[in-house]
Each structure stands twice: as C-alpha cells, then as structure tokens.
Amino acid sequence: MPDVTRRQLLRWIGAGGAGVASGVIPFLAAAGQAGDAKGTAREQTLQSTGRQWVMVVDRKKCEGCTTIDKPPRCKAACKKEHFVPEEQNWMEVYEAPDEGGGTYFKPRPCQHCEKAPCEHVCPVEATYYNPDGLVLIDHERCIGCRFCLAACPFQARYFNWGKPENPPGAAFASYSPEYPVPHRIGTAEKCMFCGHRLRQGKLPACVEGCPMQALWMGDLTEDVATNGTEAVRLSAFLHERHAYRDKEELGTRPRVFYLPGHGEDYGR
Amino acid sequence: MNAEAEVREMEAAVLRPVTERSRTFILFVLAAVAVILWALYAWSVQLRNGLEVTGMRNHVSWGFYITNFVFWIGISHAGTFISAVLRLTGVGWRTPVVRMAEFMTVGALLVGGAMPVVDLGRPDRILNLIYHGQLNSPILWDLLSVTSYFTGTLIYLYLPLIPDLATCRDRLSDKVGPLRRWFFHTFSLGWQGTPEQWRLLNKGIRAMCMMIIAVMISVHTVVSFIFAMTWRAGWHSTIFGPYFVIGAIYSGIAAVVTEMWIFRKTFRFQKYITPNHFRWLGNILLAAGLVYFYFTSAEYITAVYKMSEHELGLLQALFHGPYSGYFWSYWIGGMAIPLLLLSLPRTRNMLGIGIASILINIFMWIKRYFIVIPSMAVPLQPTPWGSYSPTWVEISIVAATFAGFALIVGTLGKSVPLIPMWEMAEELEIESDARDLAERKRSAPRPAGPVPGYAPGGGAGR
C-alpha cells in the first residue's frame, strides 16, 4: 500500500465529503420545501388575530351536569365538534370526593401553558405556539415519540394508538392544526381551544355547550371575557373571584384560570 | 518457556476460533435468527396496526421499549468504560477483556438504538428529526450523543484491531474464505509494524480513549434527562444524570463478566482469562454497586423523609403497592445478594462472581422497569392509577434485542481475534522480562511502544 500523507488523506476526505454534500443538500432542500408546501395549514395558524386567549372555569357553577342527569355537556360538545376519537377526552371533567363528603368536578381543557413543557420537549417542533397564545400540534410533522404525553403535568394529551375512526364528516374535513380533523394514526392530540371557531368569532364548542355557563372565554388584550350570556372585565373578574391556575407552582403559566368555591381540594 | 514461544502459543489459541468451524456456533446463529425473524413479524404487525398492538395507552404512554432502551444503553457503557479507563490508567490485566467489552458496546448500541425507533408512532417520519430537529428537546441530545458514541466506539474498536488484522492477513489467507481475506487485507490498511505506524497508532488510541470516556458519560446522562426534564414524580430529580451513569456502569460491568464467562468456556480461553480476571472485575463491580447503592438510597431517602404529596402516591406504590414486588426483589436480588457475593471471601470466585453478574443483569432490567412505569402510572389529575402490561408484540421485540445482541457479539467474536494479540504479546513480554535477570533489565530498558522482536506482519512469530 502506498504511503499516504495526512494532507492527501484530508484532501480525499474533503473531496468525498463535498461529493456527498452536493448529492445530499439538494435532496434535503427539496424535502424541506415539500414540507413547507404541506405546511401551509400550519402557516395559516401563525397569523395573529390580535387576541390573547384565556379560558376561565367557574368551579362553583360546574356540577358535572349531574343535576341535569347527563354526561358533561362540554365534553360531548367537544367530541361532536372534533369527532374526537373514542378513548380521548380533549375536554375532560374529573370527578372526585371533596373534603365534606360530597363530590367536586374539575373540567380540564388543555391548559395552553405559556411555557409549555410539551412544547419544550418536542424534538421536531410539531408542538408550537401560535401568536394568540394557543399551543398547537402539527399532525403532519409529529413523529409520535410521545415525549409530550410524558412531559404534560396536566394529563391533557392523548395519542392515536391505532387507526383513529374518522366518520364521513371528519374524513372530508380540511385539516388545520387548529382543527386537527381527520385524525391521524401515530400522532399526539389534545384540545386546541377551538382555534378554528375563535378565528370565526365563535366561542369554543365546550363554552357554548355548557348549560351552567360555567366556562368563559377571555381575551387578555381587550380584558374581556364571556360565557355566552354575559360579559365581564376579565382582570377584575379573576381578582374578585380569587382565580387560581392549576399547578401554578410549576411555573408553566397556564392560560386556564379556575374560580374556586365548590368545596374542592384547592389547587388540585 | 521463552517469551517468543509463549506469544506463538497465544496467537495460535486466539486465532483458532476465528478459523474453526463450529456446529454449536451455527446452531446458535440459527436460534438467534429465528427469534429475530419472529420479532420482525411482530414489528410488521405493529407497523400495520399502529402502537395499538402494544400495552401502552394514554395514561402509561411509555413501556417495555423505553425500559429496554435504557437497559441496553446502560450495557453499552461498560465496554468502553473497562477498555478506555483501564487503558488510560495502564492496567495490565485488562488486555484479554477489552475487545470483547468493546464488541458488547457495539452490539448494545445497535439493539438499544433501535428501541426508540420501534417506539415511534410514525417511524416513516423519522427524518423529521433531521429536517426539523429541535435542539431544546432531550431526544435530540440523545440522538447526537448516542450516534457520536457509536461512531467513537467503532473507531476506538478498530484502531487496536489494525495490527491484529494484519496478522490475520499474513497468517490466515489460506484458511478463510475470499470475503474475509478481502476484509483482512483491506482493513489492515497496509500495516507493516513500522515504528512510525506504531507511533501513530498509539497516539490515535490514546486520543480516542479520552474522547470516548467523555462521550460515554454524556450518553447516559442525557438518557436520564428524557425522564429528569419532566415534572413526574420519581423522575423530577437532580441526581438522575450521575445516578444513571453509575447504574449503567454497574449493569454494564456485570454484563462484561457474564460475557467473559461465556467466551472463556466456548472459545477455550481458560489460559488467558483467569479466575483473577473475575476477581479484578468483581472488585470494580463491587465498587460500582456500592456507589449505585449510595445513589439509590439517597434518591429514595430524600423523598421518603418529606413524603411530599407529589411523591407520596409513587412511594406507596413502590413500597407496599402494586410495584412493591419489583421494588423489593430488586433490593434483594439486584443489590444485597450480588454485593454479598462480591465481597465475601468464600464467594469471591468465578462461580460466585458469575452468579452475581447474572443477577445484576436481570434485576437492573427490572430496576429500569420500575423507574419508567410507575412514574408514568401516577395520576396527575383526580383519576385512578394508570395500568400497563406488555403484549406479545412488545415481548417478542424485546426478546429479539437479546438475540440480536448475542448474534452481533458472537459473530464479531468469531470473525476477528477476540483477544488483542499484540497487546497480549506485550503483556507476555513484560511477564517474561520480569522473570529475566534484573541487571539485564537495568542495562537495556524496554523501549516504549511495540514489543521488540514482535511486529505483526513484520518479523517475529512466523
């Protein structure tokens, strides 16, 4: 074997590297562009509506719809709106015993944290913030590692373990990260605060569906909130009603506020 | 016996398994391939139907695959640890053990690295990690450090192999098939054993030693960060990085001991892998075990004392709840018994140390299981606990990682010399020198680097 000097070796490696790069880079670029072309739905969600959305849950009013003898209406409205797959509850209503021997209810949408652990851990930025404070999922990019399910402190995330059912209404819907229908196998799912309805000036399905007017949608920039029948000044409302956020000590800054007062274990 | 004869005998012994056809080996390969084929079928079922076919669900969303990932990345540690640390510190007895330990690292990284891919819901989109990779995600840290570690390990394994490949090239060309003849010829890179080649080789090995140790520590640290960067009870811990690194060394060295036991017997290396090797490695294993005991105790005692609401449920589940069986069996089978076997004079023999190493292997898998699963099952909302039990798909794929690992290590061991012959020759020379007259040694000190009179592909030993 001939003697090879270091310089020659480096030159060969350089030439080889350049050759590989000249083949690979256009390929990567093309792949990237293909992603962008598909990503227009994602880009649309990045257009601001000029609002900063928050949800307020009045726990004093929430009775889990037991008083009208039905399963929680917010949950049902959400399921209907998004054709939410069977084992998922993007809006969940937890029921637990309170201190006085009664029962309390805790509705739980996605908390849309301003410092969202699910967003931090996502390896491909499939989870991202939109300018209005929504935490969204790009289902065309998600690789299904489920790190976000592990990282979420609120159990707000779900996964399409198998092929999700897409009834006719869902199958022909046009996908957007704000309205993630039809559902896709192997991707993470959760509540999107009904971003598609907010854009049309409508209240989220759960807020509209709540017969107790216990759910409010608010906008931090205009400092207003409404439950569909009345409107309040958001900041004063939160202050007067001693609003708190779930697991505030974690510092994730959720965009969901709870109004206490139904005998529940405070902050749980 | 003079040194040259000893070297010749050693070379013959080391080269024998490389050329020898063995029925046991063929049966072993067939068995391993059968397990792997079955797992490929299981994986194809999973690819068709999605992760629905596993036992994972929304509450416990990571299971056997991630547990097994942590286990194999842990095993991969010891290879380099033994090899690089002992080489760097100039420990003489390491020689017969280093290469098999490095083979283990390669095998463990290959099967371990496959686990997160199998775990993906959308393996078809795996290249998104490159197109859209986010450096703030620990998964990217894992990807970078595991691939660096794998590359580094291959280089580090390859460098000391070059002189041995040259020996194979010169000696075995009429005893092996054309494929391996080509392999020995090409990958010995024209090695002739010139002083300049020795100088460069030693420089390269030394540099790789240091680099690989740093990368090795980073690997298991960032594996632990997959857990420690979340808020979950049991994972939300600052100690996790070093805790996992020590755990990896503990389980990895145990695996080296088991491997040594198997190769010693099947390759008939009793003369070169001695009971002393078991005792020496047993000492390191004992040290690692004690440090791991300390970390594990520190981890639980700080949580138990406070009994914070955040951790309470998890601790109850581990101490006397649904996971207590795993938890306490680990303390007995993975800590108490092996540490006793490793420290009592009566059991500090090959059998005792071998049994300890197998126990550690088994229970470190269980340890990883109850690090991963209960923390996932803890309810973070007012709900019942999550539950998990693996399906046949998960069990088959995990079984195949063991078969695949054995296959990789076994095939590597049969393809190239398992004991670094030139380093072994140096050792034999040193031993022989020691027996020589002291005055001769004083008047003519051994030069650093290659053994005088021993240059593979060069003169001696022919």
Side-chain angles (χ1 to χ4, degrees):
Chain A
M1 189 160 180
D3 280 343
V4 179
T5 64
R6 185 184 306 217
R7 191 175 299 257
Q8 269 172 329
L9 183 68
L10 286 176
R11 206 174 287 155
W12 293 345
I13 292 172
V20 170
S22 62
V24 167
I25 286 170
F27 171 72
L28 284 181
Q33 278 162 4
D36 289 345
K38 264 199 263 167
T40 46
R42 178 186 177 124
E43 271 161 29
Q44 279 166 15
T45 65
L46 294 176
Q47 282 161 16
S48 172
T49 59
R51 314 269 180 180
Q52 286 298 317
W53 302 115
V54 294
M55 192 180 278
V56 184
V57 179
D58 189 347
R59 296 183 66 177
K60 207 167 193 164
K61 283 202 176 143
C62 177
E63 316 239 297
C65 292
T66 48
T67 40
I68 56 170
D69 210 19
K70 280 182 178 166
R73 301 324 295 153
C74 53
K75 202 165 149 178
C78 173
K79 285 235 170 201
K80 191 168 165 234
E81 176 76 20
H82 303 96
F83 308 96
V84 176
E86 186 62 31
E87 285 161 33
Q88 306 181 15
N89 294 300
W90 297 0
M91 173 54 121
E92 177 62 289
V93 181
Y94 296 114
E95 184 180 344
D98 66 21
E99 301 290 309
T103 304
Y104 76 83
F105 296 93
K106 177 186 180 185
R108 189 240 55 218
C110 168
Q111 309 286 303
H112 290 273
C113 306
E114 286 171 16
K115 297 178 180 171
C118 56
E119 193 273 348
H120 297 166
V121 300
C122 179
V124 294
E125 212 183 8
T127 294
Y128 64 101
Y129 305 111
N130 92 346
D132 303 342
L134 303 187
V135 178
L136 300 174
I137 302 172
D138 183 345
H139 295 82
E140 290 172 342
R141 185 182 288 186
C142 172
I143 59 171
C145 69
R146 309 189 300 294
F147 204 166
C148 51
L149 273 81
C152 175
F154 303 102
Q155 248 169 262
R157 281 185 169 249
Y158 299 89
F159 193 71
N160 290 319
W161 297 93
K163 291 189 187 94
E165 263 181 58
N166 285 306
F172 299 112
S174 88
Y175 170 83
S176 155
E178 284 172 353
Y179 184 63
V181 185
H183 304 282
R184 288 165 160 80
I185 187 174
T187 54
E189 301 242 45
K190 70 173 188 67
C191 152
M192 307 282 174
F193 264 5
C194 280
H196 63 301
R197 291 174 62 100
L198 293 173
R199 236 171 242 288
Q200 297 161 7
K202 290 195 259 179
L203 286 172
C206 55
V207 176
E208 210 174 75
C210 176
M212 312 303 290
Q213 279 83 44
L215 298 175
W216 301 67
M217 203 61 196
D219 170 19
L220 289 173
T221 43
E222 293 213 6
D223 199 18
V224 291
T226 176
N227 59 2
T229 53
E230 49 183 323
V232 291
R233 217 181 118 214
L234 179 63
S235 53
F237 186 59
L238 294 178
H239 180 73
E240 283 158 17
R241 306 286 293 275
H242 306 289
Y244 72 95
R245 292 185 280 193
D246 200 7
K247 307 196 182 188
E248 217 153 5
E249 72 279 8
L250 302 183
T252 65
R253 300 185 58 83
R255 280 284 182 93
V256 174
F257 292 87
Y258 288 95
L259 308 180
H262 204 294
E264 74 275 3
D265 189 4
Y266 198 89
R268 283 286 286 185
Chain B
M1 209 185 332
N2 66 10
E4 207 176 301
E6 274 185 62
V7 167
R8 213 172 302 139
E9 189 197 332
M10 177 273 295
E11 285 182 347
V14 173
L15 288 177
R16 194 177 39 74
V18 180
T19 51
E20 197 180 57
R21 278 173 206 277
S22 142
R23 250 189 53 205
T24 333
F25 181 69
I26 291 169
L27 285 177
F28 156 77
V29 170
L30 288 178
V33 169
V35 178
I36 293 168
L37 286 178
W38 173 252
L40 283 177
Y41 167 70
W43 192 38
S44 77
V45 170
Q46 181 182 306
L47 286 177
R48 262 202 311 278
N49 301 305
L51 291 170
E52 196 176 38
V53 300
T54 68
M56 297 184 279
R57 286 298 177 266
N58 288 319
H59 199 144
V60 179
S61 51
W62 280 342
F64 254 37
Y65 296 148
I66 295 296
T67 304
N68 204 38
F69 168 66
V70 179
F71 175 78
W72 282 117
I73 300 297
I75 294 293
S76 80
H77 266 55
T80 351
F81 173 81
I82 298 280
S83 178
V85 171
L86 298 188
R87 210 171 239 147
L88 210 56
T89 47
V91 175
W93 57 261
R94 68 168 194 270
T95 313
V97 186
V98 286
R99 189 163 292 152
M100 66 174 77
E102 288 157 20
F103 286 166
M104 213 179 70
T105 298
V106 174
L109 281 177
L110 282 174
V111 296
M115 283 294 98
V117 181
V118 174
D119 190 66
L120 284 186
R122 295 300 293 250
D124 53 315
R125 295 180 179 172
I126 191 165
L127 287 181
N128 279 1
L129 285 170
I130 295 163
Y131 303 146
H132 304 291
Q134 289 298 301
L135 270 183
N136 41 4
S137 169
I139 289 188
L140 255 284
W141 309 345
D142 267 26
L143 182 73
L144 290 175
S145 70
V146 171
T147 47
S148 312
Y149 186 47
F150 186 64
T151 316
T153 299
L154 283 185
I155 298 172
Y156 179 64
L157 168 68
Y158 177 55
L159 287 180
L161 198 58
I162 295 173
D164 284 349
L165 288 178
T167 310
C168 292
R169 174 198 64 196
D170 296 344
R171 301 272 184 80
L172 303 180
S173 42
D174 48 344
K175 288 185 194 151
V176 295
L179 181 68
R180 267 204 288 173
R181 199 153 50 223
W182 170 85
F183 175 79
F184 292 147
H185 185 83
T186 311
F187 286 90
S188 52
L189 298 181
W191 178 268
Q192 297 297 338
T194 64
E196 176 65 5
Q197 285 181 331
W198 278 115
R199 193 184 63 80
L200 288 174
L201 184 75
N202 283 330
K203 210 170 138 187
I205 292 176
R206 223 184 140 68
M208 282 314 295
C209 263
M210 290 185 250
M211 261 188 272
I212 206 89
I213 291 174
V215 178
M216 167 200 111
I217 290 171
S218 83
V219 171
H220 225 65
T221 305
V222 296
V223 166
S224 85
F225 283 174
I226 291 224
F227 307 106
M229 294 294 161
T230 70
W231 299 108
R232 284 183 184 266
W235 294 356
H236 179 44
S237 158
T238 55
I239 210 180
F240 252 42
Y243 180 40
F244 269 47
V245 170
I246 288 293
I249 291 172
Y250 183 48
S251 69
I253 293 178
V256 172
V257 173
T258 314
E259 187 198 13
M260 203 162 77
W261 215 15
I262 296 170
F263 272 131
R264 179 176 192 265
K265 224 173 137 54
T266 52
F267 281 17
R268 281 171 278 162
F269 281 167
Q270 283 87 343
K271 185 164 175 213
Y272 305 102
I273 299 170
T274 62
N276 273 337
H277 284 99
F278 285 82
R279 247 165 256 141
W280 289 322
L281 274 181
N283 287 344
I284 303 181
L285 189 55
L286 177 61
L290 289 173
V291 178
Y292 195 57
F293 173 78
Y294 165 73
F295 272 85
T296 313
S297 313
E299 173 75 4
Y300 286 109
I301 284 171
T302 48
V304 166
Y305 186 86
K306 288 174 281 190
M307 280 285 175
S308 71
E309 199 182 341
H310 181 61
E311 304 264 354
L312 183 64
L314 177 70
L315 294 172
Q316 281 170 344
L318 287 174
F319 290 166
H320 50 78
Y323 299 97
S324 56
Y326 300 107
F327 185 77
W328 293 113
S329 70
Y330 170 76
W331 282 100
I332 297 164
M335 291 251 92
I337 297 176
L339 290 184
L340 277 177
L341 285 173
L342 291 170
S343 46
L344 294 178
R346 282 184 59 131
T347 52
R348 277 171 49 76
N349 49 37
M350 259 179 23
L351 184 69
I353 294 168
I355 289 172
S357 78
I358 291 169
L359 281 175
I360 294 167
N361 285 326
I362 295 169
F363 283 98
M364 283 306 282
W365 205 98
I366 291 171
K367 178 87 204 291
R368 269 60 173 260
Y369 182 80
F370 73 73
I371 288 179
V372 175
I373 307 299
S375 287
M376 294 246 48
V378 171
L380 303 175
Q381 294 283 9
T383 63
W385 273 63
S387 65
Y388 170 76
S389 57
T391 62
W392 68 272
V393 174
E394 288 164 289
I395 294 170
S396 306
I397 291 177
V398 166
T401 61
F402 285 84
F405 171 76
L407 186 65
I408 293 167
V409 174
T411 313
L412 284 172
K414 278 294 277 181
S415 308
V416 295
L418 186 67
I419 294 180
M421 292 183 290
W422 63 275
E423 288 184 274
M424 200 65 199
E426 275 184 34
E427 287 309 311
L428 293 174
E429 286 281 346
I430 292 169
E431 280 170 32
S432 154
D433 277 2
R435 288 197 296 266
D436 277 0
L437 290 172
E439 59 183 81
R440 206 186 112 191
K441 271 174 42 182
R442 233 177 284 127
S443 62
R446 264 182 87 253
V451 183
Y454 177 79
R462 283 252 166 107

